[in-house]
Amino acid sequence: MVEVFSDYDSVIHYEFTPAVQTVNKELYLEILKRLRDAIKRKRPEKWATNDWFLLHDNAPTHRALIVKKYLAKHSVTTLERPPYSPDLAPAA
């Protein structure tokens, strides 16, 4: 599996995880730490102004308390998708 983080311009950070590795909250937290380092190196202008955000889906690892605390501690703005609702699903 590959975890990819990008902006409108290009890929900022990616990591390959072995097929047998479960992406749990601890692993995801370590990936986020490396992502912050990549943003600092590759997008210093966004890092300096904290002008970036993270789009999350509703995966359990994204909603984990240690992940939310880490993101809050470092003032990372997150956009979360609304929970699935058949009322919001487009008609087929």
Side-chain angles (χ1 to χ4, degrees):
M1 179 182 348
V2 64
E3 301 280 339
V4 179
F5 300 88
S6 64
D7 64 4
Y8 59 86
D9 192 38
S10 65
V11 172
I12 296 172
H13 181 67
Y14 65 92
E15 290 190 26
F16 292 98
T17 54
V20 296
Q21 173 72 45
T22 300
V23 179
N24 58 22
K25 58 189 174 187
E26 291 83 9
L27 176 61
Y28 189 63
L29 183 60
E30 294 304 314
I31 292 171
L32 287 177
K33 290 176 183 178
R34 291 187 287 272
L35 170 64
R36 288 186 75 241
D37 291 339
I39 292 170
K40 189 175 184 178
R41 277 191 330 275
K42 295 180 180 179
R43 301 292 189 272
E45 68 286 352
K46 296 210 174 280
W47 179 264
T49 60
N50 199 26
D51 186 26
W52 62 281
F53 60 88
L54 191 60
L55 176 63
H56 270 171
D57 60 13
N58 293 318
T61 55
H62 299 172
R63 296 188 324 261
L65 185 58
I66 63 169
V67 170
K68 287 189 174 202
K69 283 184 177 181
Y70 176 81
L71 295 172
K73 176 182 174 185
H74 294 286
S75 302
V76 176
T77 303
T78 59
L79 300 177
E80 297 186 17
R81 295 183 183 179
Y84 174 76
S85 169
D87 297 333
L88 299 175

